[in-house]
């Protein structure tokens, strides 16, 4: 669908690497106001691993067809959620959850959305 928003996760090696990520993993997106390197930094967190990556914001790290954190920054809330769709080497591509998808996740008591 054309209204789907995809983004690239990067900086995995600053945290736990690619190991804690799985296809279908829910990631919590948090605007990282304390980041002095990037004023539009968005941190990605996982249920069992905590902070685990950043949304890519460089022409060298943003996969074509996905949004940079600069483009995504004003489209998300202070905290929002995505789901891992693709993993290749040290690149993770996620889809931003729509309001309806997020509501469905929240209604599932076992969903990671309820724990991160």
């Amino acid at each position: 669908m054309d209204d789907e928003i995809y983004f690239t996760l990067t900086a995995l090696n600053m945290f736990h690497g690619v190991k804690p990520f799985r296809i279908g993993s829910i990631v919590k997106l948090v605007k990282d106001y304390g980041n002095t390197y990037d004023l539009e930094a968005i941190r990605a967190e996982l249920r069992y691993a905590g902070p685990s990556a950043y949304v890519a914001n460089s022409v060298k790290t943003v996969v074509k067809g996905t949004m940079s954190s600069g483009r995504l920054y004003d489209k998300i809330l202070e905290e929002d959620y995505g789901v891992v769709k693709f993993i290749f080497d040290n690149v993770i591509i996620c889809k931003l959850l729509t309001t309806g998808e997020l509501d469905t996740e929240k209604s599932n008591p076992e969903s990671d959305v309820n724990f991160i």
Side-chain angles (χ1 to χ4, degrees), residues 5 9-10 13 18-19 35 40 56-57 77 90 94-96 104:
I5 296 174
L9 294 183
T10 190
N13 291 332
V18 74
K19 191 173 184 174
N35 189 310
E40 297 172 320
N57 203 23
L77 304 170
N90 279 336
C94 300
K95 180 181 132 359
L96 187 67
T104 300

PDB file of all heavy atoms in Angstrom, residues 5 9-10 13 18-19 35 40 56-57 77 90 94-96 104:
ATOM      1  N   ILE A   5       4.343   3.291   5.856  1.00  0.00           N
ATOM      2  CA  ILE A   5       5.595   3.996   6.112  1.00  0.00           C
ATOM      3  C   ILE A   5       6.624   2.987   6.605  1.00  0.00           C
ATOM      4  O   ILE A   5       6.403   2.302   7.613  1.00  0.00           O
ATOM      5  CB  ILE A   5       5.386   5.112   7.158  1.00  0.00           C
ATOM      6  CG1 ILE A   5       4.427   6.174   6.602  1.00  0.00           C
ATOM      7  CG2 ILE A   5       6.724   5.722   7.566  1.00  0.00           C
ATOM      8  CD1 ILE A   5       4.050   7.252   7.610  1.00  0.00           C
ATOM      9  N   LEU A   9      16.436   0.713  10.503  1.00  0.00           N
ATOM     10  CA  LEU A   9      17.124   0.800  11.783  1.00  0.00           C
ATOM     11  C   LEU A   9      18.612   0.627  11.564  1.00  0.00           C
ATOM     12  O   LEU A   9      19.039  -0.212  10.763  1.00  0.00           O
ATOM     13  CB  LEU A   9      16.615  -0.272  12.757  1.00  0.00           C
ATOM     14  CG  LEU A   9      15.169  -0.140  13.206  1.00  0.00           C
ATOM     15  CD1 LEU A   9      14.841  -1.241  14.215  1.00  0.00           C
ATOM     16  CD2 LEU A   9      14.889   1.223  13.816  1.00  0.00           C
ATOM     17  N   THR A  10      19.401   1.423  12.278  1.00  0.00           N
ATOM     18  CA  THR A  10      20.850   1.392  12.162  1.00  0.00           C
ATOM     19  C   THR A  10      21.470   1.499  13.548  1.00  0.00           C
ATOM     20  O   THR A  10      20.754   1.528  14.546  1.00  0.00           O
ATOM     21  CB  THR A  10      21.334   2.530  11.235  1.00  0.00           C
ATOM     22  OG1 THR A  10      22.698   2.349  10.940  1.00  0.00           O
ATOM     23  CG2 THR A  10      21.097   3.880  11.843  1.00  0.00           C
ATOM     24  N   ASN A  13      25.143  -2.054  16.323  1.00  0.00           N
ATOM     25  CA  ASN A  13      26.344  -2.458  17.051  1.00  0.00           C
ATOM     26  C   ASN A  13      26.648  -1.571  18.245  1.00  0.00           C
ATOM     27  O   ASN A  13      27.491  -1.915  19.068  1.00  0.00           O
ATOM     28  CB  ASN A  13      27.537  -2.537  16.096  1.00  0.00           C
ATOM     29  CG  ASN A  13      27.390  -3.702  15.131  1.00  0.00           C
ATOM     30  OD1 ASN A  13      26.745  -4.695  15.444  1.00  0.00           O
ATOM     31  ND2 ASN A  13      27.954  -3.572  13.958  1.00  0.00           N
ATOM     32  N   VAL A  18      22.262  -7.381  15.815  1.00  0.00           N
ATOM     33  CA  VAL A  18      21.017  -7.807  15.178  1.00  0.00           C
ATOM     34  C   VAL A  18      20.336  -8.951  15.945  1.00  0.00           C
ATOM     35  O   VAL A  18      19.153  -9.230  15.742  1.00  0.00           O
ATOM     36  CB  VAL A  18      21.288  -8.192  13.702  1.00  0.00           C
ATOM     37  CG1 VAL A  18      22.002  -9.517  13.593  1.00  0.00           C
ATOM     38  CG2 VAL A  18      20.026  -8.183  12.885  1.00  0.00           C
ATOM     39  N   LYS A  19      21.073  -9.578  16.851  1.00  0.00           N
ATOM     40  CA  LYS A  19      20.601 -10.792  17.525  1.00  0.00           C
ATOM     41  C   LYS A  19      19.215 -10.713  18.169  1.00  0.00           C
ATOM     42  O   LYS A  19      18.422 -11.638  18.023  1.00  0.00           O
ATOM     43  CB  LYS A  19      21.637 -11.233  18.561  1.00  0.00           C
ATOM     44  CG  LYS A  19      21.370 -12.595  19.126  1.00  0.00           C
ATOM     45  CD  LYS A  19      22.502 -13.073  20.004  1.00  0.00           C
ATOM     46  CE  LYS A  19      22.220 -14.492  20.453  1.00  0.00           C
ATOM     47  NZ  LYS A  19      23.339 -15.055  21.182  1.00  0.00           N
ATOM     48  N   ASN A  35      19.902  13.460  22.503  1.00  0.00           N
ATOM     49  CA  ASN A  35      20.935  13.079  21.548  1.00  0.00           C
ATOM     50  C   ASN A  35      21.587  14.341  20.972  1.00  0.00           C
ATOM     51  O   ASN A  35      20.954  15.096  20.239  1.00  0.00           O
ATOM     52  CB  ASN A  35      20.328  12.226  20.429  1.00  0.00           C
ATOM     53  CG  ASN A  35      21.362  11.614  19.534  1.00  0.00           C
ATOM     54  OD1 ASN A  35      22.254  12.280  19.032  1.00  0.00           O
ATOM     55  ND2 ASN A  35      21.221  10.324  19.315  1.00  0.00           N
ATOM     56  N   GLU A  40      17.147  15.088  15.457  1.00  0.00           N
ATOM     57  CA  GLU A  40      15.935  14.367  15.055  1.00  0.00           C
ATOM     58  C   GLU A  40      16.099  12.865  15.277  1.00  0.00           C
ATOM     59  O   GLU A  40      15.495  12.055  14.591  1.00  0.00           O
ATOM     60  CB  GLU A  40      15.622  14.643  13.589  1.00  0.00           C
ATOM     61  CG  GLU A  40      15.316  16.099  13.310  1.00  0.00           C
ATOM     62  CD  GLU A  40      15.190  16.410  11.830  1.00  0.00           C
ATOM     63  OE1 GLU A  40      15.980  15.868  11.025  1.00  0.00           O
ATOM     64  OE2 GLU A  40      14.304  17.195  11.482  1.00  0.00           O
ATOM     65  N   ALA A  56      17.641   5.291  10.965  1.00  0.00           N
ATOM     66  CA  ALA A  56      18.705   5.841  10.124  1.00  0.00           C
ATOM     67  C   ALA A  56      18.361   7.259   9.678  1.00  0.00           C
ATOM     68  O   ALA A  56      17.202   7.565   9.406  1.00  0.00           O
ATOM     69  CB  ALA A  56      18.920   4.939   8.915  1.00  0.00           C
ATOM     70  N   ASN A  57      19.399   8.102   9.587  1.00  0.00           N
ATOM     71  CA  ASN A  57      19.164   9.491   9.189  1.00  0.00           C
ATOM     72  C   ASN A  57      20.277  10.005   8.280  1.00  0.00           C
ATOM     73  O   ASN A  57      20.503  11.199   8.198  1.00  0.00           O
ATOM     74  CB  ASN A  57      19.019  10.399  10.415  1.00  0.00           C
ATOM     75  CG  ASN A  57      18.240  11.663  10.117  1.00  0.00           C
ATOM     76  OD1 ASN A  57      17.461  11.704   9.176  1.00  0.00           O
ATOM     77  ND2 ASN A  57      18.433  12.692  10.917  1.00  0.00           N
ATOM     78  N   LEU A  77       4.310  10.158  17.122  1.00  0.00           N
ATOM     79  CA  LEU A  77       4.079  10.735  18.439  1.00  0.00           C
ATOM     80  C   LEU A  77       5.396  10.721  19.220  1.00  0.00           C
ATOM     81  O   LEU A  77       6.408  10.251  18.724  1.00  0.00           O
ATOM     82  CB  LEU A  77       3.017   9.913  19.173  1.00  0.00           C
ATOM     83  CG  LEU A  77       1.677   9.755  18.442  1.00  0.00           C
ATOM     84  CD1 LEU A  77       0.803   8.727  19.150  1.00  0.00           C
ATOM     85  CD2 LEU A  77       0.985  11.101  18.341  1.00  0.00           C
ATOM     86  N   ASN A  90      23.293  -6.349   8.754  1.00  0.00           N
ATOM     87  CA  ASN A  90      23.080  -5.421   9.869  1.00  0.00           C
ATOM     88  C   ASN A  90      22.053  -4.351   9.538  1.00  0.00           C
ATOM     89  O   ASN A  90      22.104  -3.255  10.092  1.00  0.00           O
ATOM     90  CB  ASN A  90      24.401  -4.760  10.279  1.00  0.00           C
ATOM     91  CG  ASN A  90      25.216  -5.660  11.176  1.00  0.00           C
ATOM     92  OD1 ASN A  90      24.679  -6.535  11.846  1.00  0.00           O
ATOM     93  ND2 ASN A  90      26.515  -5.453  11.196  1.00  0.00           N
ATOM     94  N   CYS A  94      11.664  -1.717   9.049  1.00  0.00           N
ATOM     95  CA  CYS A  94      10.420  -1.825   9.815  1.00  0.00           C
ATOM     96  C   CYS A  94       9.312  -1.043   9.141  1.00  0.00           C
ATOM     97  O   CYS A  94       9.568  -0.133   8.358  1.00  0.00           O
ATOM     98  CB  CYS A  94      10.620  -1.256  11.215  1.00  0.00           C
ATOM     99  SG  CYS A  94      11.895  -2.066  12.179  1.00  0.00           S
ATOM    100  N   LYS A  95       8.096  -1.396   9.506  1.00  0.00           N
ATOM    101  CA  LYS A  95       6.914  -0.667   9.051  1.00  0.00           C
ATOM    102  C   LYS A  95       6.299   0.003  10.273  1.00  0.00           C
ATOM    103  O   LYS A  95       6.145  -0.631  11.320  1.00  0.00           O
ATOM    104  CB  LYS A  95       5.912  -1.627   8.424  1.00  0.00           C
ATOM    105  CG  LYS A  95       4.639  -0.971   7.905  1.00  0.00           C
ATOM    106  CD  LYS A  95       3.734  -2.030   7.338  1.00  0.00           C
ATOM    107  CE  LYS A  95       2.314  -2.001   7.770  1.00  0.00           C
ATOM    108  NZ  LYS A  95       1.798  -1.068   8.666  1.00  0.00           N
ATOM    109  N   LEU A  96       5.958   1.282  10.140  1.00  0.00           N
ATOM    110  CA  LEU A  96       5.277   1.999  11.206  1.00  0.00           C
ATOM    111  C   LEU A  96       3.871   1.426  11.351  1.00  0.00           C
ATOM    112  O   LEU A  96       3.160   1.239  10.365  1.00  0.00           O
ATOM    113  CB  LEU A  96       5.207   3.490  10.859  1.00  0.00           C
ATOM    114  CG  LEU A  96       4.676   4.417  11.940  1.00  0.00           C
ATOM    115  CD1 LEU A  96       5.626   4.470  13.127  1.00  0.00           C
ATOM    116  CD2 LEU A  96       4.470   5.813  11.373  1.00  0.00           C
ATOM    117  N   THR A 104      -5.015  -3.020  17.669  1.00  0.00           N
ATOM    118  CA  THR A 104      -5.086  -4.487  17.659  1.00  0.00           C
ATOM    119  C   THR A 104      -4.001  -5.082  18.543  1.00  0.00           C
ATOM    120  O   THR A 104      -4.257  -6.002  19.326  1.00  0.00           O
ATOM    121  CB  THR A 104      -4.958  -5.025  16.219  1.00  0.00           C
ATOM    122  OG1 THR A 104      -6.033  -4.505  15.435  1.00  0.00           O
ATOM    123  CG2 THR A 104      -4.988  -6.544  16.191  1.00  0.00           C
TER     124      THR A 104
END
